[in-house]
C-alpha cells in the first residue's frame, strides 16, 4: 500500500509535499480502514473502481518535488519571463495593487479559499464586497444594475449579444451589428458565440449602419480599439428609434472623467475591471463587468447579489434570482456560465473602496494628463495623434520608415508598444507610468542624435468637457468614502473576512466542488511580478518561463487524462464544455457530418451540460437513469439508434454526479461511438480518477478539467476557475485558436476566451500541484479522497440513508445523504440541516444537487481524520436533534433546526422565548467551546430578496434604521 | 377538495369559465411544488394563444416553470397585481388569476379535467 510519504524522492528527507497535502496520517489510515472494513487502501480502491478501466501502472509524470525545490525551480522560470513596460492596451493595463489589498485579500486564504456564496448566512463578508463591486460598476457605467462579474470582457460582450437575442422585440431579427473598431479578441469571441446560435454578424460602423428590420442589436466600444472616445447619443437614439438594443464596451477608469455609456442610453455596458488593482497575470484572472437596465435583470447572465432580510429583520445579502442560472433552467438558462471572478471582483471593489471617487478621478486625470502631454511632445517629433478625443490611448501616425526606428528604440528600453499598421504606433498608458517612463517613451520616438522634446508640466491638461465630460457624481455611498486610511482599510477587509467560512476555518464538504487544500507554496508565485505584471499580448519571446510552464502543464494534463493534446484557454468548466462541444462539431463538419447536432445527456447531469449544449447549437435529448442512478443502457441505446444520423455526442460525468463509478461506462461510450457520436466527459469528478483511471481509459474523446477542483486552484469565493480541455488525437487539430497570439490546432476553432491561455497566472497553481505531488502523490490523493468519503459513509450511514453506492456498497469520492425521510416524519428538511451545520461551525454540503432534498458530501483528501470526525460528530448530533422532534421531545416549529443559524446577538439577548436553551442553540457540542464561529445573520429570507430586488449598496438611511 | 367550478390541466393550470371568458391560474398543488413564488411573467394583452401554448413563466426562489394556456383564444387582461404581490399565488392560488382569455373554441374545455379527475392526478 502506498501511503503518505512513501512515493517521492527525498531531496529534503521525509518532509514531502504529499504528506502536507493529504490530511490523514499513516496511523489514521489504519484506523479508518478498520471503520470502513477494508483490509487496505488498495483493496478498497479495487472495490470502487471497475477493473476494466484501471490504468496498468503509475502515471508517467516526473518525480515529486519538495516545496523548497519547487519554489527554487519556479524562481528560475520566473527569471525567464521579462517584465517589460507594456503599453499595449486591448483592455489590459498595468495597475498598482494597494499593498493592504494584496496582503489581506489577494494573498489571504480567508478570501481565496471560500466557495460561491450559496450559503449566504456565512458569506456576508464577500457578499457585501461583491455588492460594492456591483454598486461601483453600475455607478461608473451610469446603469441601473451590474452583476457580480463575468469571466472576461470578450465573453461579457458575447453575453450582451445573447441577452439582446432573448429580449428584443423585433420578430424574426437575427442580425447583430458589431463595430469594426472593437478589440480583436472581443470580436472573435462574439463570432464564436454567434455562429451556433444562428446569429448573423455584420461588421459595420454603427454610427452609419442601417438598422433594418433584420437587426436586433449593436455592439460598439468607447474608448474603442484605437482609443477613441465617441459621443454615442445620436447612434443610440437612432437604434432605439428602430427598436434595436445597444451594448457598449468601455474602460472603467475612463468613466471617472468621461460621460458613461448609460447616460447616452446604452442598454448594456461591459468591460474589464482588471485595471482596478488586479495584476495583469499574462491574461488573468480578472473580473469582467456587465451592467444593464433594471428591466433586463431577469434575463441577465451571471451571479447577481441582492439585499434581503434575515428572520429577525436584519439587512442581509444573498445571491438573487438564481432561477436564471443553468443549475435550474438547464438548456433554457440565460447562460452556461457558473463561475464568476469573485476574488478579482472583490479586489477591484476594494480598490474602489480604497481610492473612493476622488481618488479614482485623481488617477484617471493623471493618466489622461500624461497621455495628453505625451501626444503634444510626440507631435513635435512629427507623430500625429489621430484619436482626437482619447483617455489613455494615443494612436500616432508618422513616416513608416520612422516606425521601425521607434520600435527599436522602444524595445531597447524594454517597452512594448502596439504597431497595428505600417506607420502607426499605439500607446496606452496606465497608473504605474512615471515621469521617467514618459521620458523614456519620448526618447524612443526621438531620432538618434536629436534632443528629445520636453514634456509639458504635469497637471496642465483640462478635464474633458462638453457632452463627453462626466458631470454626474458616482460612488457617493459612504462605503467608498470612509475607508481611506490603511488602518481603516485593513479593519474593513478583515472585518468582512471574519463573517465568512473559508477553508482557513473549517472543512467545506461541498459535493462536486472538491474543496481541497490550496497550498501556500502553490499560491505564492502567483503574485510574483515576473508572473503578475505581464500583459496577455506581450511578445511570446518575453514569456519563456510561462511558455515552459504551459508546455509542461499541457503535457502533464495530457498524461493524466490519457489524451495527447490540451488547450489551456477555457476560463471555467462551463467554457471548457462549450469549447469541447465546438471542437466536436468542427470534427463532424470536417468529415462532412455537419448535420450531427444532438447531444445526449443523462438525467443526472449537472445543469451546465445542457446549457453548454444549447449554447453550442445542439439539441438536447435526455437519457434516463435507472433507480440506482446509473445511465439506463437500454434507453441510451434506443436514443442513440433513433438519432444515429444526427447524433453529435454524449455528455457524461464520470464518476457520475451521484458519486458512483458506473460499471458500464466503456459500453456506454462504445454505444455512442457505434452511432457516429463522440463522448464528452465532464471532468467535475476527476478527483476520483487521477492516477487510477482516465477519460481516455473509459473511452471518452474529450474532457474538461476543473483546475479549481481537482488541481488545487482555490475557489476564490466564487471564481476564478480554469477549465482546460484535453482531446484525443483526432480532435487535436480543432483546439481553439486566438486572433492576437497563436494557439491551438491546425484547423483551430475560433477563440472561446479573451486571453490565449485563459487565466494564465493561476495555471501556476495546478503546475505546482502536479510537480510537487508527482505521479505517486497525485494517485495517492485520489485514493485518500475515496477513503475519506467512505469513512464518512461508514460513520454516518446508520444515521442518514446514503442514496447511491456502487456494486460493493462503496461510494467514490463523494456521497449523497437523503434527507427526505426526515422531512416526511418531522418537517425538518435539507435546508434546516444545512443551516444548523453553521451553528456547529461548518459550511453545509451541497444542497439538493444532484437530487432534491439531499445533501452531497465530498471531503477531499486534504481533510484530516480529526476534521472528518468533527463533521461526523456534528451530523450525528444533528440527527439526535431531528430525532427529538420525531419523538415529540422537541417542538416541530420551535426547535434548534428550524431557527438555525443562531447569531451571538440572538443568543445573548435578554429575551429568550424559544422552547430550547441558549446552550443548545449555540454550543450543542463541547468542542465548540474552544472555537466558535458566530454566523453574523440568522436565516435569510430568500423570497423577500427576490420579490424586493435591490442590487446595490442600500442607502445610508437603511444602515441607520438597521442599527 | 379542488374547487368544482374550475377545470384543470395536467400541467396544473386551472381555468374558470364564466360569461364567455376564461380566467387562468395555477393550482394549489402547483404552488406547493414551486414554493415561495417571487415572479410571474405574463403576456401582453392582445396576444393570441392556442391551447397548450406557453403564455408565461412563474418563478420561485428555487424553481421556474412555464405556464400553458388551457384554451385557445386572445388575452384580454393580465393580473398586474401579481407584479407587486406574487405571493398571492401562494396565499390564494385559486383566486390569483393570471390572464383572462376570450376563448375561440368552446369545445376545448371538454378536454380539461374536472375537480375529481385533477384530484386523482395529484394524489
Amino acid at each position: 500500500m502506498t501511503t503518505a510519504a512513501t512515493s517521492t524522492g527525498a531531496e529534503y528527507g521525509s518532509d514531502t509535499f504529499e504528506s502536507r497535502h493529504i490530511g490523514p496520517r499513516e496511523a489514521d489510515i489504519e484506523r479508518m480502514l478498520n471503520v470502513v472494513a477494508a483490509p487496505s487502501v488498495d483493496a478498497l480502491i479495487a472495490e470502487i473502481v471497475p477493473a476494466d478501466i484501471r490504468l496498468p501502472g503509475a502515471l508517467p509524470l516526473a518525480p515529486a518535488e519538495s516545496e523548497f525545490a519547487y519554489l527554487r525551480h519556479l524562481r528560475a522560470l520566473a527569471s525567464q519571463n521579462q517584465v517589460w513596460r507594456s503599453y499595449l492596451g486591448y483592455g489590459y493595463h498595468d495597475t498598482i495593487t494597494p499593498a493592504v489589498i494584496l496582503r489581506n485579500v489577494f494573498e489571504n486564504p480567508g478570501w481565496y479559499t471560500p466557495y460561491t456564496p450559496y450559503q449566504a448566512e456565512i458569506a456576508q463578508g464577500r457578499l457585501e464586497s461583491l455588492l460594492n463591486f456591483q454598486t461601483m460598476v453600475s455607478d461608473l457605467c451610469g446603469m441601473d444594475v451590474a452583476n457580480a462579474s463575468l469571466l472576461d470582457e470578450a465573453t461579457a460582450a458575447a453575453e450582451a449579444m445573447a441577452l439582446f437575442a432573448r429580449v428584443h422585440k423585433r420578430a424574426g431579427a437575427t442580425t447583430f451589428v458589431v463595430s469594426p473598431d472593437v478589440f480583436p479578441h472581443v470580436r472573435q469571441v462574439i463570432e464564436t458565440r454567434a455562429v451556433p446560435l444562428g446569429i448573423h454578424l455584420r461588421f459595420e460602423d454603427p454610427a452609419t449602419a442601417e438598422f433594418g428590420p433584420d437587426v436586433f442589436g449593436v455592439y460598439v466600444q468607447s474608448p474603442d480599439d484605437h482609443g477613441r472616445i465617441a459621443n454615442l447619443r445620436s447612434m443610440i437614439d437612432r437604434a432605439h428609434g428602430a427598436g434595436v438594443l445597444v451594448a457598449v464596451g468601455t474602460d472603467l477608469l475612463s468613466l471617472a472623467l468621461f460621460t458613461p455609456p448609460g447616460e447616452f442610453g446604452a442598454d448594456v455596458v461591459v468591460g474589464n475591471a482588471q485595471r482596478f488593482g488586479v495584476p495583469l497575470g499574462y491574461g488573468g484572472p480578472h473580473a469582467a463587468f456587465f451592467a444593464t437596465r433594471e428591466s433586463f435583470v431577469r434575463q441577465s447572465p451571471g451571479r447577481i447579489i441582492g439585499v434581503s432580510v434575515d428572520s429577525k429583520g436584519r439587512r442581509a445579502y444573498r445571491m438573487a434570482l438564481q432561477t436564471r442560472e443553468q443549475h435550474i433552467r438547464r438548456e433554457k438558462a440565460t447562460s452556461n456560465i457558473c463561475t464568476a471572478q469573485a476574488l478579482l471582483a472583490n479586489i477591484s471593489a476594494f480598490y474602489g473602496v480604497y481610492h473612493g471617487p476622488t481618488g479614482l478621478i485623481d488617477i484617471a486625470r493623471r493618466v489622461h494628463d500624461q497621455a495628453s502631454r505625451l501626444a503634444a511632445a510626440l507631435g513635435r517629433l512629427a507623430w500625429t495623434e489621430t484619436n482626437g478625443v482619447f483617455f489613455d490611448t494615443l494612436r500616432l501616425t508618422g513616416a513608416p520608415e520612422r516606425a521601425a526606428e521607434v520600435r527599436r528604440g522602444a524595445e531597447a528600453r524594454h517597452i512594448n508598444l502596439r504597431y497595428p499598421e505600417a506607420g502607426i504606433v499605439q500607446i496606452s498608458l496606465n497608473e504605474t507610468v512615471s515621469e521617467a517612463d514618459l521620458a523614456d517613451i519620448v526618447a524612443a520616438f526621438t531620432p538618434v542624435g536629436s534632443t528629445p522634446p520636453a514634456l509639458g508640466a504635469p497637471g496642465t491638461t483640462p478635464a474633458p468637457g462638453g457632452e463627453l465630460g462626466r458631470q454626474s457624481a458616482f460612488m457617493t455611498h459612504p462605503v467608498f468614502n470612509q475607508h481611506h486610511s490603511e488602518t481603516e482599510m485593513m479593519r474593513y477587509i478583515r472585518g468582512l473576512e471574519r463573517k465568512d467560512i473559508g477553508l482557513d476555518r473549517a472543512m467545506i464538504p461541498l459535493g462536486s466542488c472538491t474543496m481541497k487544500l490550496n497550498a501556500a507554496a502553490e499560491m505564492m508565485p502567483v503574485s510574483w511580478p515576473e508572473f503578475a505584471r505581464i500583459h496577455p499580448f506581450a511578445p511570446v519571446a518575453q514569456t519563456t518561463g510561462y511558455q515552459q510552464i504551459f508546455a509542461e502543464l499541457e503535457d502533464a494534463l495530457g498524461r493524466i487524462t490519457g489524451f495527447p493534446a490540451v488547450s489551456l484557454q477555457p476560463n471555467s468548466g462551463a467554457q471548457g464544455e462549450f469549447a469541447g462541444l465546438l471542437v466536436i462539431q468542427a470534427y463532424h463538419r470536417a468529415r462532412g457530418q455537419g448535420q450531427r447536432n444532438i447531444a445526449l445527456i443523462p438525467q443526472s447531469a449537472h445543469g451546465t451540460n445542457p446549457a453548454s449544449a444549447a449554447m453550442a447549437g445542439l439539441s438536447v435529448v435526455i437519457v434516463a437513469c435507472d433507480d440506482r442512478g446509473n445511465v439506463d443502457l437500454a434507453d441510451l441505446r434506443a436514443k442513440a439508434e433513433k438519432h444515429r444520423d444526427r447524433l453529435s455526442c454524449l455528455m457524461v460525468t464520470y464518476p457520475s454526479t451521484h458519486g458512483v463509478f458506473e460499471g458500464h461506462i466503456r459500453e456506454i461510450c462504445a454505444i455512442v461511438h457505434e452511432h457516429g457520436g463522440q463522448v464528452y466527459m465532464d471532468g467535475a469528478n476527476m478527483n476520483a480518477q487521477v492516477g487510477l483511471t482516465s477519460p481516455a481509459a473509459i473511452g471518452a474523446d474529450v474532457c474538461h478539467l476543473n483546475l479549481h477542483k481537482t488541481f488545487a486552484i482555490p475557489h476564490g469565493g466564487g471564481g476564478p476557475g480554469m477549465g482546460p480541455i484535453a482531446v484525443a488525437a483526432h480532435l487535436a487539430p480543432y483546439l481553439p485558436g486566438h486572433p492576437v497570439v497563436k494557439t491551438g490546432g491546425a484547423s483551430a476553432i475560433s477563440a472561446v476566451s479573451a486571453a490565449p491561455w485563459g487565466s494564465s497566472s493561476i495555471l501556476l497553481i495546478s503546475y505546482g500541484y502536479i510537480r510537487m505531488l508527482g505521479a505517486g502523490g497525485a494517485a495517492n490523493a485520489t485514493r485518500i479522497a475515496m477513503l475519506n468519503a467512505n469513512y464518512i459513509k461508514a460513520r454516518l450511514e446508520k444515521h442518514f440513508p446514503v442514496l447511491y453506492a456502487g456494486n460493493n456498497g462503496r461510494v467514490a469520492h463523494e456521497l449523497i445523504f437523503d434527507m427526505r425521510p426526515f422531512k416526511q416524519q418531522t418537517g425538518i428538511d435539507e435546508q434546516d440541516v444545512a443551516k444548523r451545520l453553521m451553528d456547529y461551525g461548518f459550511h453545509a454540503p451541497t444542497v439538493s444537487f444532484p437530487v432534491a432534498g439531499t445533501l452531497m458530501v465530498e471531503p477531499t483528501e486534504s481533510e484530516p481524520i480529526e476534521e472528518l470526525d468533527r463533521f461526523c460528530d456534528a451530523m450525528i448530533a444533528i440527527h439526535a436533534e431531528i430525532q427529538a422532534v420525531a419523538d415529540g421531545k422537541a417542538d416541530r416549529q420551535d426547535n434548534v433546526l428550524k431557527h438555525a443559524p443562531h447569531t451571538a446577538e440572538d443568543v445573548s439577548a435578554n429575551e429568550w422565548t424559544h422552547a430550547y436553551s441558549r446552550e443548545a442553540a449555540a454550543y450543542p457540542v463541547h468542542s465548540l467551546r474552544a472555537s466558535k464561529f458566530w454566523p453574523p445573520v440568522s436565516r435569510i429570507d430568500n423570497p423577500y430578496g427576490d420579490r424586493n430586488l435591490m442590487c446595490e449598496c442600500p442607502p445610508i438611511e437603511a444602515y441607520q434604521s438597521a442599527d | 377538495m379542488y374547487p368544482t367550478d374550475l377545470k384543470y390541466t395536467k400541467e396544473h393550470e386551472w381555468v374558470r369559465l364564466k360569461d364567455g371568458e376564461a380566467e387562468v391560474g395555477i393550482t394549489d398543488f402547483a404552488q406547493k411544488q414551486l414554493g415561495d413564488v417571487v415572479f410571474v411573467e405574463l403576456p401582453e394583452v392582445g396576444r393570441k394563444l392556442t391551447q397548450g401554448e406557453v403564455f408565461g413563466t412563474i418563478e420561485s426562489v428555487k424553481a421556474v416553470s412555464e405556464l400553458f394556456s388551457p384554451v385557445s383564444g386572445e388575452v384580454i387582461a393580465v393580473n398586474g397585481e401579481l407584479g407587486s404581490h406574487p405571493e398571492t399565488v401562494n396565499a390564494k392560488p385559486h383566486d390569483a388569476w393570471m390572464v383572462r382569455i376570450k376563448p375561440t373554441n368552446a369545445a376545448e374545455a371538454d378536454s380539461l379535467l374536472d375537480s375529481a379527475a385533477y384530484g386523482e392526478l395529484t394524489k
Side-chain angles (χ1 to χ4, degrees):
Chain A
M1 155 181 127
T2 316
T3 54
T6 57
S7 58
T8 170
E11 189 186 357
Y12 296 97
S14 62
D15 186 5
T16 61
F17 177 74
E18 180 184 341
S19 71
R20 305 286 178 181
H21 174 76
I22 292 177
R25 305 291 91 192
E26 197 124 13
D28 303 332
I29 290 171
E30 292 304 324
R31 270 173 57 204
M32 295 166 75
L33 285 169
N34 277 332
V35 174
V36 305
S40 67
V41 178
D42 282 341
L44 176 68
I45 299 303
E47 287 185 59
I48 298 170
V49 186
D52 66 339
I53 59 167
R54 284 292 295 272
L55 299 181
L59 284 172
L61 295 174
E65 207 168 22
S66 72
E67 288 188 19
F68 185 74
Y70 170 70
L71 289 171
R72 187 179 55 198
H73 165 73
L74 219 60
R75 284 278 177 208
L77 287 180
S79 70
Q80 292 176 40
N81 287 337
Q82 299 174 51
V83 186
W84 289 25
R85 288 166 287 180
S86 283
Y87 305 128
L88 295 167
Y90 292 106
Y92 301 101
H93 305 271
D94 202 2
T95 179
I96 300 169
T97 312
V100 63
I101 298 174
L102 185 71
R103 171 158 290 205
N104 293 299
V105 184
F106 195 58
E107 297 178 337
N108 177 353
W111 283 94
Y112 65 68
T113 64
Y115 190 67
T116 304
Y118 285 107
Q119 294 297 333
E121 291 85 354
I122 49 171
Q124 291 294 298
R126 61 192 187 280
L127 284 164
E128 177 171 329
S129 180
L130 290 170
L131 196 72
N132 292 343
F133 178 81
Q134 292 179 181
T135 306
M136 176 176 82
V137 168
S138 57
D139 271 18
L140 279 165
C141 293
M143 299 301 288
D144 299 333
V145 289
N147 75 7
S149 76
L150 289 175
L151 297 177
D152 58 37
E153 179 171 358
T155 47
E159 291 290 348
M161 170 183 72
L163 167 69
F164 290 170
R166 284 191 293 275
V167 302
H168 76 82
K169 294 197 158 51
R170 309 192 88 193
T174 56
T175 299
F176 190 62
V177 173
V178 180
S179 159
D181 297 321
V182 307
F183 293 137
H185 51 292
V186 171
R187 172 185 164 135
Q188 192 169 90
V189 172
I190 290 176
E191 281 181 283
T192 306
R193 291 281 299 275
V195 174
L197 296 177
I199 294 171
H200 171 69
L201 296 180
R202 224 167 75 201
F203 295 97
E204 200 177 340
D205 182 0
T208 52
E210 195 191 325
F211 299 136
D214 58 318
V215 178
F216 68 85
V218 168
Y219 187 79
V220 65
Q221 203 181 293
S222 177
D224 69 8
D225 188 37
H226 295 180
R228 274 178 306 214
I229 291 182
N231 187 336
L232 301 172
R233 191 180 301 280
S234 60
M235 185 276 285
I236 293 176
D237 285 350
R238 195 166 62 82
H240 286 170
V244 170
L245 299 165
V246 180
V248 182
T250 193
D251 178 299
L252 213 49
L253 188 60
S254 76
L255 302 182
L257 299 186
F258 290 89
T259 303
E263 292 178 19
F264 290 136
D267 301 291
V268 168
V269 182
V270 302
N272 184 1
Q274 174 268 320
R275 74 190 304 172
F276 277 37
V278 180
L280 288 162
Y282 199 33
H286 320 128
F289 59 87
F290 185 102
T292 187
R293 300 175 177 283
E294 188 101 54
S295 52
F296 293 156
V297 71
R298 285 181 184 273
Q299 296 289 330
S300 292
R303 292 174 180 143
I304 299 171
I305 310 307
V307 184
S308 187
V309 293
D310 74 0
S311 61
K312 299 292 191 309
R314 298 180 195 95
R315 191 181 60 250
Y317 309 110
R318 59 185 281 278
M319 292 201 291
L321 306 181
Q322 288 188 41
T323 47
R324 295 167 303 114
E325 294 187 31
Q326 25 60 35
H327 64 270
I328 291 174
R329 241 182 244 249
R330 304 178 80 89
E331 68 269 26
K332 288 177 183 157
T334 53
S335 163
N336 74 333
I337 296 299
C338 331
T339 320
Q341 299 278 18
L343 180 69
L344 305 313
N346 282 327
I347 290 171
S348 289
F350 281 125
Y351 179 96
V353 168
Y354 180 78
H355 287 295
T358 316
L360 291 179
I361 290 172
D362 188 56
I363 294 167
R365 288 202 64 161
R366 190 155 45 78
V367 172
H368 182 239
D369 178 60
Q370 286 179 330
S372 304
R373 291 188 291 125
L374 183 62
L378 299 182
R380 268 171 258 145
L381 293 168
W383 285 87
T384 309
E385 203 295 310
T386 58
N387 278 336
V389 182
F390 57 80
F391 167 54
D392 62 358
T393 299
L394 309 178
R395 188 169 169 98
L396 301 150
T397 307
E401 64 277 12
R402 284 284 300 126
E405 276 177 60
V406 169
R407 183 170 194 154
R408 276 195 298 278
E411 287 173 358
R413 290 169 177 80
H414 285 197
I415 292 174
N416 290 319
L417 304 177
R418 200 171 150 189
Y419 309 98
E421 294 168 38
I424 296 181
V425 182
Q426 215 168 293
I427 307 173
S428 297
L429 300 181
N430 62 65
E431 65 165 326
T432 71
V433 174
S434 66
E435 287 299 307
D437 294 329
L438 276 188
D440 268 2
I441 298 172
V442 175
F445 276 79
T446 306
V448 178
S450 308
T451 309
L455 284 152
T460 50
T461 309
E467 224 194 335
L468 285 176
R470 181 167 194 142
Q471 306 297 324
S472 55
F474 57 92
M475 293 164 68
T476 53
H477 193 274
V479 75
F480 300 113
N481 295 281
Q482 62 189 27
H483 303 296
H484 294 169
S485 74
E486 179 163 333
T487 300
E488 271 291 311
M489 191 68 197
M490 172 181 69
R491 288 178 187 157
Y492 181 57
I493 293 171
R494 298 302 300 266
L496 292 184
E497 179 195 335
R498 277 192 286 271
K499 295 180 177 185
D500 294 8
I501 288 185
L503 287 174
D504 57 325
R505 271 185 200 275
M507 169 185 186
I508 301 181
L510 284 164
S512 182
C513 303
T514 316
M515 302 297 289
K516 63 171 64 178
L517 171 74
N518 316 119
E522 294 156 359
M523 296 298 298
M524 278 166 54
V526 176
S527 44
W528 293 354
E530 296 89 341
F531 295 112
R533 289 191 69 189
I534 297 193
H535 191 284
F537 303 157
V540 170
Q542 292 167 21
T543 62
T544 312
Y546 258 125
Q547 296 305 325
Q548 186 180 328
I549 290 167
F550 296 159
E552 279 186 46
L553 182 60
E554 285 177 6
D555 179 68
L557 296 177
R559 289 165 190 266
I560 288 168
T561 55
F563 289 134
V566 170
S567 167
L568 298 173
Q569 192 176 100
N571 257 326
S572 71
Q575 221 179 34
E577 290 177 20
F578 178 60
L581 294 175
L582 292 183
V583 164
I584 288 173
Q585 290 306 92
Y587 166 77
H588 285 316
R589 271 198 308 277
R591 301 171 73 232
Q593 301 270 299
Q595 84 288 355
R596 293 190 173 273
N597 67 348
I598 284 181
L600 298 178
I601 299 181
Q603 223 169 23
S604 59
H606 193 274
T608 310
N609 291 174
S612 299
M615 239 171 75
L618 300 173
S619 301
V620 174
V621 173
I622 301 296
V623 180
C625 289
D626 62 22
D627 52 8
R628 294 182 56 206
N630 296 331
V631 171
D632 180 333
L633 279 177
D635 192 52
L636 173 72
R637 206 172 268 121
K639 282 173 175 155
E641 181 59 35
K642 180 176 174 199
H643 301 292
R644 62 177 311 140
D645 297 326
R646 287 181 55 207
L647 179 61
S648 166
C649 61
L650 167 77
M651 297 184 82
V652 64
T653 305
Y654 200 73
S656 73
T657 53
H658 296 142
V660 175
F661 279 95
E662 295 180 41
H664 296 292
I665 188 65
R666 288 191 60 85
E667 195 179 342
I668 288 169
C669 295
I671 291 169
V672 174
H673 287 141
E674 278 163 30
H675 294 86
Q678 294 280 292
V679 176
Y680 183 95
M681 196 203 84
D682 181 327
N685 290 341
M686 197 65 198
N687 209 44
Q689 284 199 26
V690 176
L692 304 181
T693 180
S694 74
I698 69 165
D701 302 286
V702 48
C703 70
H704 76 261
L705 299 166
N706 302 87
L707 297 188
H708 49 289
K709 294 181 180 176
T710 310
F711 296 94
I713 290 178
H715 282 74
M722 271 298 277
I725 55 172
V727 298
H730 63 280
L731 298 176
Y734 311 103
L735 287 175
H738 191 273
V740 183
V741 182
K742 189 188 159 3
T743 62
S747 311
I749 60 164
S750 52
V752 297
S753 296
W757 295 280
S759 299
S760 303
S761 68
I762 52 174
L763 292 174
L764 300 177
I765 299 163
S766 300
Y767 176 71
Y769 176 83
I770 294 169
R771 276 195 74 110
M772 289 192 283
L773 278 180
N780 207 28
T782 313
R783 294 149 43 93
I784 302 302
M786 292 201 257
L787 174 63
N788 277 0
N790 281 281
Y791 178 75
I792 290 179
K793 175 172 183 282
R795 280 211 58 197
L796 292 182
E797 64 190 340
K798 293 186 288 292
H799 305 279
F800 297 95
V802 173
L803 202 49
Y804 300 109
N807 284 334
N808 301 300
R810 302 295 187 186
V811 296
H813 64 309
E814 61 190 3
L815 67 162
I816 301 171
F817 291 112
D818 195 350
M819 299 290 143
R820 292 170 295 189
F822 302 106
K823 184 172 185 182
Q824 272 179 345
Q825 197 188 0
T826 64
I828 304 293
D829 65 16
E830 69 287 356
Q831 286 291 348
D832 298 323
V833 175
K835 303 304 177 191
R836 181 59 175 158
L837 274 165
M838 297 171 183
D839 285 331
Y840 286 81
F842 282 101
H843 190 290
T846 298
V847 178
S848 290
F849 174 81
V851 181
T854 65
L855 297 175
M856 181 158 65
V857 175
E858 178 181 4
T860 84
E861 69 278 13
S862 297
E863 292 303 335
I865 190 170
E866 293 79 6
E867 187 72 350
L868 302 178
D869 282 336
R870 200 170 71 87
F871 175 74
C872 292
D873 292 345
M875 288 295 286
I876 291 167
I878 289 172
H879 180 266
E881 292 169 353
I882 300 173
Q883 194 57 46
V885 177
D887 295 346
K889 291 178 194 150
D891 188 82
R892 278 177 77 92
Q893 284 310 315
D894 191 9
N895 60 57
V896 285
L897 288 131
K898 284 289 171 197
H899 290 289
H902 296 84
T903 67
E905 186 186 352
D906 295 344
V907 171
S908 58
N910 287 332
E911 195 186 14
W912 180 261
T913 56
H914 291 299
Y916 51 91
S917 72
R918 291 177 157 111
E919 186 179 30
Y923 290 99
V925 288
H926 188 77
S927 60
L928 286 168
R929 287 167 203 283
S931 172
K932 168 76 183 170
F933 174 85
W934 288 102
V937 295
S938 58
R939 190 90 60 102
I940 294 177
D941 187 335
N942 286 318
Y944 180 92
D946 276 358
R947 287 172 183 157
N948 304 279
L949 191 62
M950 177 166 189
C951 305
E952 55 183 61
C953 301
I956 188 67
E957 305 81 66
Y959 286 81
Q960 283 160 347
S961 63
D963 288 342
Chain B
M1 53 170 276
Y2 285 93
T4 49
D5 59 327
L6 304 181
K7 296 274 202 174
Y8 301 89
T9 69
K10 286 176 183 161
E11 289 78 30
H12 311 292
E13 285 85 14
W14 55 258
V15 56
R16 177 177 285 119
L17 294 155
K18 60 171 185 186
D19 308 330
E21 289 178 17
E23 214 169 64
V24 179
I26 65 164
T27 65
D28 185 49
F29 176 84
Q31 70 82 14
K32 282 203 180 106
Q33 292 290 308
L34 281 166
D36 293 307
V37 172
V38 297
F39 184 66
V40 186
E41 187 188 24
L42 297 174
E44 286 169 13
V45 171
R47 179 146 156 226
K48 302 222 174 15
L49 297 167
T50 54
Q51 189 178 32
E53 188 179 341
V54 174
F55 70 82
T57 56
I58 183 163
E59 289 182 26
S60 68
V61 283
K62 60 180 186 191
V64 58
S65 184
E66 289 179 324
L67 301 166
F68 300 93
S69 183
V71 291
S72 304
E74 180 181 332
V75 178
I76 51 174
V78 299
N79 186 351
E81 278 290 292
L82 298 180
S84 45
H85 295 288
E87 65 274 15
T88 319
V89 177
N90 296 117
K92 299 177 184 171
H94 299 128
D95 293 324
W97 64 278
M98 293 170 182
V99 291
R100 276 203 195 106
I101 296 170
K102 184 91 190 164
T104 47
N105 180 1
E108 279 175 357
D110 298 341
S111 64
L112 301 172
L113 306 173
D114 64 14
S115 164
Y118 183 71
E120 195 62 32
L121 177 77
T122 53
K123 225 178 224 171

